[in-house]
Amino acid sequence: LAKTTQPISMDSYEGQEVNITCSHNNIATNDYITWYQQFPSQGPRFIIQGYKTKVTNEVASLFIPADRKSSTLSLPRVSLSDTAVYYCLVGAILTGGGNKLTFGTGTQLKVEL
Amino acid sequence: DAGVIQSPRHEVTEMGQEVTLRCKPISGHDYLFWYRQTMMRGLELLIYFNNNVPIDDSGMPEDRFSAKMPNASFSTLKIQPSEPRDSAVYFCASSFGGTGIGELFFGEGSRLTVL
């Protein structure tokens, strides 16, 4: 199983860029890297997904180096509402990935004024 | 679409009782996942189905747990008999395999408390 390692917590201020890095040394060839956001009393919500290089959508960017052993979620100009737990997920059942879709421990991001 | 619907949202029961959690996936999704979340163990994948067929149940903690998916729009997770250590939030998620990517759509969860 892919073991992902993330910082347990991070603090930031409104308007700053936040980068959360995840290590996944045993990522398999067919695995994708997906990030989810979870608020208290809610299920995780998809943020962004990538396989290699850089992916950007309307809420975040995902940077993946060539060896794919780590990835960085970048949240531009965070606000108080971005306070949540962020999970890095490595796997891809649907494409025959080598790792199941098991979540790591997540990173608690706290954004302050 | 209403999203993944789970019931009940909260369940309090006594040790030894049977618990049944229900899930309605998003229409058209062909993958369904059951996760359990606790403070100690985080989010654990219990079992997942593809086209109503269980594919991998290696995450099911023990024989007291069982899951079924009788049709494409309904799944149950049953615990019999329940124990206090089963207290957790149980999430159901669904996904559409046609994209080949695997974005999971989660329900709001069922919070189970076993006394």
Side-chain angles (χ1 to χ4, degrees):
Chain A
L1 291 178
K3 176 177 171 57
T4 59
T5 303
Q6 305 173 231
I8 294 176
S9 63
M10 295 182 69
D11 294 328
S12 184
Y13 293 96
E14 275 202 317
Q16 290 191 333
E17 177 184 81
V18 171
N19 295 309
I20 306 174
T21 296
C22 178
S23 297
H24 30 78
N25 290 321
N26 59 341
I27 187 170
T29 301
N30 290 344
D31 286 344
Y32 281 76
I33 300 159
T34 312
W35 285 80
Y36 286 81
Q37 175 191 57
Q38 186 179 27
F39 296 112
S41 302
Q42 294 185 21
R45 186 178 68 175
F46 174 90
I47 302 174
I48 195 167
Q49 184 177 73
Y51 184 80
K52 61 181 178 181
T53 63
K54 176 183 176 181
V55 179
T56 297
N57 62 21
E58 63 276 9
V59 298
S61 294
L62 177 59
F63 300 91
I64 306 169
D67 65 6
R68 303 199 328 122
K69 293 184 183 299
S70 67
S71 59
T72 298
L73 173 71
S74 181
L75 304 172
R77 298 179 299 280
V78 295
S79 64
L80 293 175
S81 62
D82 292 317
T83 294
V85 178
Y86 292 82
Y87 292 95
C88 162
L89 181 63
V90 173
I93 290 173
L94 308 189
T95 58
N99 291 290
K100 294 192 296 186
L101 299 178
T102 299
F103 288 77
T105 54
T107 298
Q108 172 66 62
L109 172 65
K110 182 179 180 182
V111 180
E112 299 175 285
L113 288 173
Chain B
D1 200 310
V4 175
I5 299 173
Q6 292 186 244
S7 64
R9 290 294 315 277
H10 301 275
E11 173 96 5
V12 180
T13 190
E14 293 187 346
M15 183 174 62
Q17 297 297 307
E18 177 179 291
V19 173
T20 299
L21 307 178
R22 298 172 177 80
C23 175
K24 176 179 169 55
I26 292 173
S27 177
H29 282 189
D30 53 354
Y31 281 82
L32 185 139
F33 304 80
W34 282 101
Y35 282 86
R36 178 173 68 175
Q37 185 172 37
T38 61
M39 287 295 293
M40 292 296 295
R41 301 177 68 89
L43 274 160
E44 303 173 274
L45 176 61
L46 301 178
I47 185 172
Y48 76 94
F49 296 82
N50 177 218
N51 291 323
N52 314 335
V53 176
I55 303 300
D56 187 340
D57 64 355
S58 60
M60 297 286 262
E62 47 197 277
D63 292 345
R64 297 184 298 105
F65 286 70
S66 63
K68 295 181 179 181
M69 192 165 186
N71 57 62
S73 59
F74 184 67
S75 177
T76 60
L77 178 67
K78 184 175 294 186
I79 308 172
Q80 167 64 18
S82 59
E83 297 182 3
R85 58 188 169 133
D86 302 330
S87 297
V89 180
Y90 291 81
F91 288 103
C92 175
S94 69
S95 183
F96 175 52
T99 66
I101 299 298
E103 175 182 345
L104 302 180
F105 293 82
F106 283 81
E108 295 190 336
S110 294
R111 180 175 296 275
L112 172 65
T113 302
V114 183
L115 303 174

